[in-house]
Amino acid sequence: MKMLHVPLLVLGVLISAQSFAATAQQEKMTTCNAQASEKALKGDERKAFMSTCLKAKPATQQEKMKTCNADASAKALKGDERKAFMSDCLKKK
């Protein structure tokens, strides 16, 4: 009876991993699609953007922080303005 539990456990892990991968890909597709819509891209420009966007590796949180922090410093933002900018920037990238 115990031998039956191991294959079932492995099967459950495989199914979970596949559904997670599909969800991540769907999320990336949604994000890229929203960005293309914001830029009002159509036709071949949209196809090229979507291709590039979907192939791009997601930036790590640390990379996002560095980029947004540098942008905020370049704009000389301080206090609440900086907080608002950083929040928006980290959500977008």
Side-chain angles (χ1 to χ4, degrees), residues 30-78:
T30 302
T31 301
C32 291
N33 197 27
Q35 290 174 353
S37 295
E38 283 176 16
K39 296 178 180 188
L41 299 176
K42 302 219 185 255
D44 290 338
E45 285 181 331
R46 186 181 185 92
K47 286 180 188 176
F49 173 81
M50 290 295 289
S51 178
T52 303
C53 183
L54 292 171
K55 288 178 186 175
K57 293 181 181 177
T60 64
Q61 185 66 19
Q62 192 172 18
E63 290 170 342
K64 287 184 200 179
M65 283 294 289
K66 286 181 182 179
T67 302
C68 293
N69 197 25
D71 291 347
S73 294
K75 294 179 179 186
L77 298 176
K78 298 200 186 255

Side-chain angles (χ1 to χ4, degrees), residues 15-30:
I15 290 171
S16 296
Q18 286 178 345
S19 67
F20 176 75
T23 302
Q25 182 64 24
Q26 289 170 345
E27 185 176 319
K28 192 170 189 177
M29 183 71 166
T30 302

